[in-house]
Amino acid sequence: MNNARPWPALVAASALTLVCAVATGVAGSAAGSELTRGPSTSELHAAAKREVAERWRTWQAGRIFPATLPYSAEQGGEERASRVGISPRTACAGSVDAKAARTLRATGCRAVLRATYIDALQGVMVTVGVVALPDEVDAARAKSAFPETGKPVPGLRPLAFEGTIADRFTPPVRQVGSVRQAGPYLVLTTAGQVDGRPAKAVGEQRPTIFAFAAEISEHVLADLSTPRMPDCASPEWQC
């Protein structure tokens, strides 16, 4: 009895074996390429976006709130506001007025960082607050809780430091506020006069003396929210 397989069957079997080998080789090559290739442009952009969202947590406090911040003087030229202190507390509740706190809670507030500055003439105090939200959409929603008209309430609560020039910077002293948003961050300000006069006791308002508050907040926001592409050669990045 002849047990030899017909020639066409042998050809088909050999071809199938070759196809399987080639497919295995291609798959192995693709997997190796995937493991050894560098990050794509979209992956780099995603990494940069994640890095921005974590800056409130990974950056040192003095980087978020520098010792001095520049602003335009009323008389022209540049002056600098000096930092009085930084709060060690980051809880969302208690950093802003209760009405605004409800909105922050609903939008997933991760932290509120605060620091107080004094202007170059040492007549105006301003507390700058960084609100960290999960993403840009939540930050835009949270922004609606704060008036864009310059009214300080509902808004950021001032940060006083006992035994310093800012020891009388309490909520009744607030005269103006501001809100800015970029990426997953809001930057809020609240400002008042160093002498501790309640806003209701102040006569004619002088909004120009508080204009620098919003300006220095823009410096803080720009530093926090401006992405930078990952540098895979730096130990700061994991690519």
Side-chain angles (χ1 to χ4, degrees):
M1 183 175 178
N2 187 358
N3 292 323
R5 299 173 65 184
W7 178 250
L10 289 174
V11 172
S14 298
L16 182 60
T17 301
L18 180 60
V19 169
C20 291
V22 171
T24 301
V26 170
S29 176
S33 298
E34 180 66 22
L35 291 173
T36 57
R37 71 169 176 82
S40 67
T41 300
S42 61
E43 289 170 338
L44 288 173
H45 280 290
K49 188 175 181 179
R50 287 193 299 271
E51 189 270 336
V52 167
E54 291 299 317
R55 285 178 182 173
W56 69 271
R57 186 176 60 82
T58 58
W59 280 13
Q60 294 184 348
R63 185 175 180 182
I64 296 172
F65 299 119
T68 66
L69 285 168
Y71 66 92
S72 301
E74 285 187 73
Q75 303 80 10
E78 182 182 281
E79 292 183 336
R80 302 189 75 87
S82 300
R83 189 185 68 213
V84 178
I86 301 173
S87 174
R89 298 181 179 84
T90 62
C92 299
S95 298
V96 298
D97 294 316
K99 184 178 179 180
R102 289 192 290 271
T103 301
L104 292 189
R105 184 166 54 249
T107 51
C109 177
R110 303 171 75 185
V112 177
L113 317 178
R114 290 185 298 165
T116 293
Y117 287 82
I118 187 169
D119 72 328
L121 298 178
Q122 298 197 344
V124 176
M125 307 298 310
V126 55
T127 294
V128 180
V130 171
V131 184
L133 283 304
D135 53 39
E136 187 170 357
V137 173
D138 288 316
R141 289 173 55 208
K143 184 182 178 183
S144 66
F146 302 94
E148 297 188 56
T149 58
K151 293 182 178 180
V153 180
L156 185 69
R157 294 178 67 82
L159 177 64
F161 290 93
E162 187 176 353
T164 73
I165 197 169
D167 62 358
R168 289 180 288 181
F169 194 25
T170 58
V173 176
R174 294 180 288 181
Q175 293 188 45
V176 298
S178 71
V179 55
R180 300 286 189 275
Q181 183 256 324
Y185 296 106
L186 299 182
V187 175
L188 311 171
T189 67
T190 189
Q193 297 187 55
V194 171
D195 60 15
R197 280 180 294 172
K200 63 182 180 181
V202 176
E204 183 182 356
Q205 294 290 327
R206 294 178 55 203
T208 56
I209 70 172
F210 301 111
F212 81 98
E215 189 176 342
I216 66 174
S217 77
E218 289 166 359
H219 286 290
V220 173
L221 182 59
D223 286 344
L224 271 175
S225 63
T226 301
R228 57 192 181 99
M229 291 301 287
D231 177 6
C232 294
S234 169
E236 185 178 354
W237 295 91
Q238 293 183 355
C239 299

